[in-house]
Amino acid sequence: MDQARLHKLLRDVKAGKVELEDAFARLKDLPFADLGYANLDLHRPLRGGFPEVVFGESKSVDQLKGIVSALRERPGVVIVTRITDEKATVCLDVAPEGRHYPQARMFVIHRKVKRLGRVAVVTAGTSDIPVAEEAAVTAEALGAPVTRIYDVGVAGIHRLLKRREEIAAAKAAVVIAGMEGALASAVGGLVGIPVVAVPTSVGYGASFGGVAALLGMLNSCSPNVSVVNIDNGFGGGFYASLIARK
Amino acid sequence: MDQARLHKLLRDVKAGKVELEDAFARLKDLPFADLGYANLDLHRPLRGGFPEVVFGESKSVDQLKGIVSALRERPGVVIVTRITDEKATVCLDVAPEGRHYPQARMFVIHRKVKRLGRVAVVTAGTSDIPVAEEAAVTAEALGAPVTRIYDVGVAGIHRLLKRREEIAAAKAAVVIAGMEGALASAVGGLVGIPVVAVPTSVGYGASFGGVAALLGMLNSCSPNVSVVNIDNGFGGGFYASLIARK
Amino acid sequence: MDQARLHKLLRDVKAGKVELEDAFARLKDLPFADLGYANLDLHRPLRGGFPEVVFGESKSVDQLKGIVSALRERPGVVIVTRITDEKATVCLDVAPEGRHYPQARMFVIHRKVKRLGRVAVVTAGTSDIPVAEEAAVTAEALGAPVTRIYDVGVAGIHRLLKRREEIAAAKAAVVIAGMEGALASAVGGLVGIPVVAVPTSVGYGASFGGVAALLGMLNSCSPNVSVVNIDNGFGGGFYASLIARK
Amino acid sequence: MDQARLHKLLRDVKAGKVELEDAFARLKDLPFADLGYANLDLHRPLRGGFPEVVFGESKSVDQLKGIVSALRERPGVVIVTRITDEKATVCLDVAPEGRHYPQARMFVIHRKVKRLGRVAVVTAGTSDIPVAEEAAVTAEALGAPVTRIYDVGVAGIHRLLKRREEIAAAKAAVVIAGMEGALASAVGGLVGIPVVAVPTSVGYGASFGGVAALLGMLNSCSPNVSVVNIDNGFGGGFYASLIARK
Amino acid sequence: MDQARLHKLLRDVKAGKVELEDAFARLKDLPFADLGYANLDLHRPLRGGFPEVVFGESKSVDQLKGIVSALRERPGVVIVTRITDEKATVCLDVAPEGRHYPQARMFVIHRKVKRLGRVAVVTAGTSDIPVAEEAAVTAEALGAPVTRIYDVGVAGIHRLLKRREEIAAAKAAVVIAGMEGALASAVGGLVGIPVVAVPTSVGYGASFGGVAALLGMLNSCSPNVSVVNIDNGFGGGFYASLIARK
Amino acid sequence: MDQARLHKLLRDVKAGKVELEDAFARLKDLPFADLGYANLDLHRPLRGGFPEVVFGESKSVDQLKGIVSALRERPGVVIVTRITDEKATVCLDVAPEGRHYPQARMFVIHRKVKRLGRVAVVTAGTSDIPVAEEAAVTAEALGAPVTRIYDVGVAGIHRLLKRREEIAAAKAAVVIAGMEGALASAVGGLVGIPVVAVPTSVGYGASFGGVAALLGMLNSCSPNVSVVNIDNGFGGGFYASLIARK
Amino acid sequence: MDQARLHKLLRDVKAGKVELEDAFARLKDLPFADLGYANLDLHRPLRGGFPEVVFGESKSVDQLKGIVSALRERPGVVIVTRITDEKATVCLDVAPEGRHYPQARMFVIHRKVKRLGRVAVVTAGTSDIPVAEEAAVTAEALGAPVTRIYDVGVAGIHRLLKRREEIAAAKAAVVIAGMEGALASAVGGLVGIPVVAVPTSVGYGASFGGVAALLGMLNSCSPNVSVVNIDNGFGGGFYASLIARK
Amino acid sequence: MDQARLHKLLRDVKAGKVELEDAFARLKDLPFADLGYANLDLHRPLRGGFPEVVFGESKSVDQLKGIVSALRERPGVVIVTRITDEKATVCLDVAPEGRHYPQARMFVIHRKVKRLGRVAVVTAGTSDIPVAEEAAVTAEALGAPVTRIYDVGVAGIHRLLKRREEIAAAKAAVVIAGMEGALASAVGGLVGIPVVAVPTSVGYGASFGGVAALLGMLNSCSPNVSVVNIDNGFGGGFYASLIARK
């Protein structure tokens, strides 16, 4: 029940067009969640063009077709993550105005969004780049200009030190690392901005599919580091963009 | 080597007061880390009165005495975490201008700081309150007004729904929960602000000292949720304050 | 040794047709487990048409053929779980009166069963639907009408709230969720009926193949939640049906 | 806002005593959660005298005093779990009508409740008895007569077989076992009723504080077994009582 | 129902003293488990004086008193494990014919038993000796002469090699080791007899309370190695004694 | 250096044919391991025709060909485990006197061996049969007659009870179970013989590739149960055969 | 900025060719990390021809082509690890002076390097050989002569004892083992040189992809054992070579 | 049997003083391990005064007294680790020439040893110092001069960079860190010397008693890093000293 209908109901009560008992029933039985839902919907636009996101991996080609068709009719940015090239082709058929980012494994329908503050995306190695691109493309779609700083792992700390100023110039940094995950702490120690750490499942042996990096990041001694799920580049880019809102 | 001294050295070179070889040696051997250190130090004040933090648990009474004596001479806020009542008494002896927060197990020497945006601190149960107070007192010491919303766990979702507006009015929320950790997702789904999730070791059985809550929070379906270490109330409050900087 | 034969033996003893020592030997050596077996068999019908269940994944096509041929001769419902389309075709060849449920990956030979109370099957996301369908088809085969409520995860709590009445109207709810598993607690908090939680292996990163959801569900603060094995849709549907017996 | 006040508001609108805009504001701003809260409260009594439960372990003596004082004024059963003898004395001081169950580590204020179906509480060993008593006392407080069958572990299967009829006569069984947890499967295979399995942390070596039992129970081949958290006797008794409602 | 009563029942049937229907009822309803129980009891003596075992750790002083009083009246060996000195004193009060083994933390009432083959008990370090003594005292109580070979860990393999003949002369070896657990493999490779490996929780760091040793033993490349639970000296001694039966 | 050569050396020393220093050098430098090796070799035959075992999974087709060619020249039994049908064909080409056991995934060259005592091989489910056959074929190759008792899991305990006598008649039992692993305890409780438990990786969800069964078996309350590695049918059969030696 | 350019800048300052402010700016803005980088580069040659290493597994064929083309222009040894035969062919096309080691899955461009001390590479089984060859080829490429001692696991300890002298003659040993990992301790106990232990993921069941071996090695009682990551043959060979530098 | 006795035996054979058969028997039965033992003993001194080490934690006061009394009679360095102040007093009573290191929790009887190369001991935080002192005191006792560089964790990378030259000047570095363990990689990337990483159990939350640091160190991208057990300061100091031998 939206505001207009609530207004009308009250007017009708006053005008005697609706019986008291009827109005009572409609208001009493008013499913509060519907109201809640409406509230939430009203708030959605306030969140500022934030995206409709589709996790592409668990969707069939047909499901994707349907979802993308529906979402392109809406005003907000549309982001599809974890898609194969084949699924990307399907998305492009349905929504040729969208764009496929093969390295990020994403499909995005860009919309005009409010410009956010800058986000730095930093990786330890070259194998972390697909996750990093997922973060970077997400942040760009949401309106944040992105500085990409790749392959600056802790084992060659000087490469990181050279890029410190660039990272510090951002509003938030997404730090992406597999294996030991130490880069998040190192970046956190070098700059004063919030760091969103994304562990990656890159690695072998006792990296345990990202668990070693995850634990390293959670145990960071830099208090400006928080962590999202393993390989969750989208989450990292999204969260950094939230912080970068002006 | 700071800027003034570098300036003087160059003038002296030009003026012939310093031999070329001497200047070369001093510049060549210039420990880059020192320069780096200086750079970092120069940046520290830019970070805005952010605190000197002492992890009290691993310090002896004598060490605490020495550290607090030293830090009270400096301009910034001083935060001591995880202290017993006995250690707090020692801190108060040394720095009577400080304040002891027994529930948060903290000692703080407050300083005039720039006012930050509001931070909401939300807990699932009453047992999470000590960690929550650690977060709240940290945020307040850093300049953020704090809204405390305690005991609104997912098993009684209506209690949370009643407080949604208050949470949404903050710049960032710290959500603190043990056992299943579901509250972070629920809050993340209700509001558009960044949520910093702090798992707590409260619980028994298969809560595994906070691991169940930690995993629940990392697997949150709300992309506006990031996670810090188990029981790390200070980290949660600090990170949320960073986000709340204007 | 069944009842008839026991009866006859005693008559023969009385009639002197069987020597005392002979009867003693036959009764003394009577394998107690056989008697036990009989007892158990006698009790089976009391359980009310509960199904013969075949775990299809570990059976070869030939084994399936044999088992289904045998079971269709018996009176009870026959349920085959975790089958591929290819295996389903084989089942249909053997027992054309059965039905294949592709989404649930099941084959069922329905029988007339006593009607049970209603069961609600609730999922957090769309990827949980195959496990949910396994639960729902199982419950239906056992005689329980099923209310399907899919994709009402905690990150969008309002979607769940809208469906509360429907869930509350059931005798038991099966709640199926991967990732964080918080939905079980939320449903448990909203309704007073027993909730059977089924963690799913859907997810990535630190969901660890369903362990995160499993731990979340075990640590539920709602005391009306119990848990079955990861992805065990059949178990969830069966257990809820047991509760829904009138 | 309760029903009476909503009725009055509508009457006042009709009567012109309240301005349309005023009514609109009051209804529009009606915190949906409040309404939700009311709904939930209305439903609580429908759940049938189910208890107010206090987890005593994490409460201070003073907190307990306050909580028990408050709860004894309410109509429902009051259950305090995991209390020391000292805390029990405090509870008895405040509410002398209550009763202390030392073995179950509980304090209960009994109230007249509707009689439920019978619940069987079964343990593998004698060390599981404290958790079992927590389950049994809970079920009794909720109105279920309880059959206690203790020390019938799988390593001496004949002891269990002797008690089969007694278990089968109940509406639900709580099966409590540490170490390997096999008893839940064995009971599940012997009877057709729902079994609620409670792993206990009793054991040593590779029992890992109840994890071995928990895994054994989750992997039960008997589909009439579901599991609650380690040592959660209260949860087991509560859940079984829910099932035993007529 | 024992054999005598069964005999009598049949005689009474034949003599017409018991109605057919009565006899049928008594036999039909004969709880098979009772019969099973009897069977098992009949078999117990066949197992040859094997012990009544009491896990002392989880028993109160009063419970121990009662149990030991009762067991000393029976013919078999009585073994109480994991007892403190205080509990041992209590046992000695009740059964002064018993013996306390402080290092093994056991109390044993020895009985005349059939002599078994020799058992070797081997440890990696000196800290493993309490568990080793538990194994050795158990084996001795059961009738096996024991060769103790302590402190011959893999890091000083020559110490083990010197004792090879002694180990090879036994019918079975119990190998007890913490930390890495490699000794079981080494002994298994040196001798052809069955080795029962007991991991101990001795160790620190990544020994994880015996898990490292347990995994090492389970992964032994010597096929004559099997494993019992961490710190389960009793189990190791018992199992080796079973093998050493002639 | 074998005994004959040692004899000859001493004779030569005595006869003056070998210089003292020469003899000293040859004896002093005598690689002790060689002597050890010889000792061990001398002992090997004492172990009684125990097999040469090849773990086929990690061998290439060419390696297998070479190894089987070499081993068939030796006197003992040859056992190749974990082979595909393709590898079996290769083995048969090289050693047509051998036999392929497809269900056990083994290739065996049988030899005349001393007859051992009987071994029972027991499984919980039908999916455990491949591992069980590996155990059974191994035991048979080593000389032990085998009683196969399959599909008698704890969830249908009566099926196990019916077979108790057969198991008790063996010298040792191999019990093979996935999922919960409770069967080992149950068998251990029913019979007095040593039980070798083999957890299998059969199962899904929280069975964790055999870990749940492994933990259940390690935590068995029956002291006549020991455990070998997950899926290690060969190890189970070998160990039981060792016990069954007369 | 290298030394020559720094020299020239100072000369230019003195000569008045460069303005003071200009020089100040160039020195002040001198990215300290660049200087650090230069420093590190200057140190690199001091490390003695140590290799450029490429982890081939995560590189595409095109990336490999580019990287190898670039690296072959540089003076140092080039090592590519974890490559398929197909990728090796590509490497050989680009750099025909290189060599492919199929068993080690490596491609190496050898360069004249300083001869290091000898390294022993020891394995427990034949399945560990690929990792061992990775270690051995790495050490050889770095200048260390290598003694290969394969298949000397602890279960046949005599095979190891025979080779003790050869191992002791090296400057460092790389010990490679899966399953239980006990070989590292055994070697450590036999020789006084540093042992670098490499756990391998070879194995099945409770070897957990190398974790059992890793834990065994970390818990080694020989203090001359340190550990690198699971399957990290390159790391083992590299580290041993570092130790073997004269 | 030592060399002199072997010599004499051969002379006696030659001289006819010992019968051939006697000599044969004595040599044939010569326990090879004894010879092995002798060999090993002969090699011990070659290892260069390396210490007798006693793990004090698991020794009683009486055991310590006995062991230290015995060891002080021998020539080598004596190291007792993990002792309380009380145990240290006992050691000093017995061996007043020894020295107690309270921070390192060690007692050492120093002996004249060959001077080794320099070892750097580096820690991330101040809480790691006890483990670091254990490493440093061990290295010093073995003859290595030690450079202590404490509290240079990755979160303040500039502190580490300032000390790079000092670390690089050592022959080996022991790097000690809890929480995330990233320092090992950072040091490994800055210097070319071998790094021995010691994870510490310092930390809270998801540091899991050192596991997070351990995993971080094992996953180091710097190939000059190897790892010893959690909190194993002695092992770290010992291993680095081995490397530092000239």
Side-chain angles (χ1 to χ4, degrees), chain E residues 155 161 180 182 185 189 206-207 212 219 222, chain G residues 155 161 180 182 185 189 206-207 212 216 219 222:
Chain E
L161 296 175
E180 68 198 298
S185 277
S207 69
N219 284 290
S222 306
Chain G
L161 294 175
E180 68 198 299
S185 278
S207 68
N219 284 289
S222 306

Side-chain angles (χ1 to χ4, degrees), chain E residues 44-245:
Chain E
R44 281 225 156 203
L46 299 182
R47 291 193 207 153
F50 269 4
E52 295 289 340
V53 184
V54 184
F55 186 61
E57 200 166 278
S58 63
K59 301 291 179 304
S60 70
V61 163
D62 278 351
Q63 287 177 310
L64 262 187
K65 228 184 264 185
I67 293 170
V68 172
S69 299
L71 291 181
R72 71 184 290 233
E73 305 303 324
R74 302 205 195 163
V77 171
V78 176
I79 293 181
V80 187
T81 63
R82 308 282 172 92
I83 51 169
T84 57
D85 287 1
E86 187 211 348
K87 286 183 180 173
T89 308
V90 168
C91 292
L92 278 167
D93 284 353
V94 171
E97 75 275 26
R99 184 165 160 203
H100 176 212
Y101 297 84
Q103 204 172 15
R105 294 161 301 169
M106 292 169 78
F107 175 80
V108 178
I109 305 180
H110 289 279
R111 298 286 157 81
K112 196 172 168 59
V113 291
K114 226 173 107 184
R115 191 175 173 83
L116 309 179
R118 179 166 291 273
V119 165
V121 178
V122 186
T123 78
T126 53
S127 329
D128 302 316
I129 293 178
V131 176
E133 280 300 309
E134 192 178 294
V137 171
T138 297
E140 287 170 342
L142 297 175
V146 170
T147 305
R148 286 164 171 83
I149 299 175
Y150 291 171
D151 198 17
V152 293
V154 166
I157 202 77
H158 55 285
R159 291 176 300 180
L160 173 61
L161 296 175
K162 280 174 63 172
R163 313 295 298 272
R164 195 181 69 81
E165 298 299 330
E166 290 172 82
I167 303 172
K171 286 286 177 211
V174 186
V175 175
I176 292 152
M179 302 301 291
E180 68 198 298
L183 185 62
S185 277
V187 170
L190 286 177
V191 299
I193 59 174
V195 170
V196 187
V198 186
T200 62
S201 59
V202 168
Y204 56 88
S207 69
F208 299 129
V211 170
L214 170 62
L215 293 183
M217 287 163 164
L218 283 169
N219 284 290
S220 170
C221 298
S222 306
N224 54 341
V225 174
S226 73
V227 187
V228 298
N229 203 353
I230 296 168
D231 288 336
N232 190 4
F234 165 74
F238 184 96
Y239 199 87
S241 302
L242 265 189
I243 297 174
R245 287 193 301 194

Side-chain angles (χ1 to χ4, degrees), chain A residues 19-29, chain D residues 3 6-7 10:
Chain A
E19 286 305 299
L20 254 186
E21 278 317 297
D22 248 36
F24 177 72
R26 278 159 73 185
L27 282 171
K28 188 199 75 170
D29 294 342
Chain D
Q3 301 195 12
L6 178 54
H7 242 141
L10 289 174

Side-chain angles (χ1 to χ4, degrees), chain D residues 8-228:
Chain D
K8 184 168 182 317
L9 178 64
L10 289 174
R11 275 198 310 269
D12 288 351
V13 165
K14 184 162 191 190
K17 288 189 196 165
V18 168
E19 287 302 300
L20 254 185
E21 277 318 295
D22 249 36
F24 177 72
R26 278 159 74 185
L27 283 171
K28 188 198 74 169
D29 293 343
L30 177 76
F32 68 87
D34 259 4
L35 188 54
Y37 192 25
N39 274 351
L40 291 167
D41 264 1
L42 290 172
H43 281 280
R44 281 227 157 201
L46 300 182
R47 291 193 207 153
F50 270 4
E52 295 288 340
V53 183
V54 183
F55 186 61
E57 199 166 278
S58 63
K59 300 292 178 304
S60 70
V61 162
D62 278 351
Q63 287 177 310
L64 261 187
K65 228 184 263 185
I67 293 170
V68 172
S69 299
L71 291 180
R72 69 184 292 234
E73 305 302 323
R74 302 203 194 164
V77 171
V78 176
I79 292 181
V80 187
T81 64
R82 307 281 171 93
I83 51 168
T84 57
D85 286 0
E86 187 210 348
K87 285 183 180 174
T89 308
V90 168
C91 292
L92 278 168
D93 283 353
V94 171
E97 75 275 26
R99 183 164 161 205
H100 176 211
Y101 297 84
Q103 204 174 14
R105 295 163 301 168
M106 291 169 79
F107 175 81
V108 179
I109 305 179
H110 289 280
R111 298 287 158 82
K112 195 172 169 58
V113 291
K114 225 172 108 184
R115 191 175 173 83
L116 310 179
R118 178 167 291 274
V119 165
V121 177
V122 186
T123 78
T126 54
S127 329
D128 303 316
I129 292 178
V131 176
E133 280 300 311
E134 193 178 293
V137 171
T138 297
E140 287 170 343
L142 296 174
V146 170
T147 305
R148 286 163 171 84
I149 298 175
Y150 292 171
D151 199 17
V152 292
V154 166
I157 201 77
H158 55 286
R159 291 176 299 181
L160 173 60
L161 295 175
K162 280 174 64 173
R163 313 294 298 272
R164 195 180 71 80
E165 298 300 330
E166 289 172 81
I167 303 172
K171 287 287 177 209
V174 186
V175 174
I176 293 153
M179 304 300 291
E180 67 198 298
L183 185 62
S185 278
V187 171
L190 286 177
V191 298
I193 59 173
V195 170
V196 188
V198 186
T200 62
S201 58
V202 167
Y204 56 88
S207 69
F208 300 129
V211 170
L214 170 62
L215 293 182
M217 287 162 165
L218 283 169
N219 284 289
S220 170
C221 298
S222 305
N224 54 341
V225 174
S226 72
V227 188
V228 299

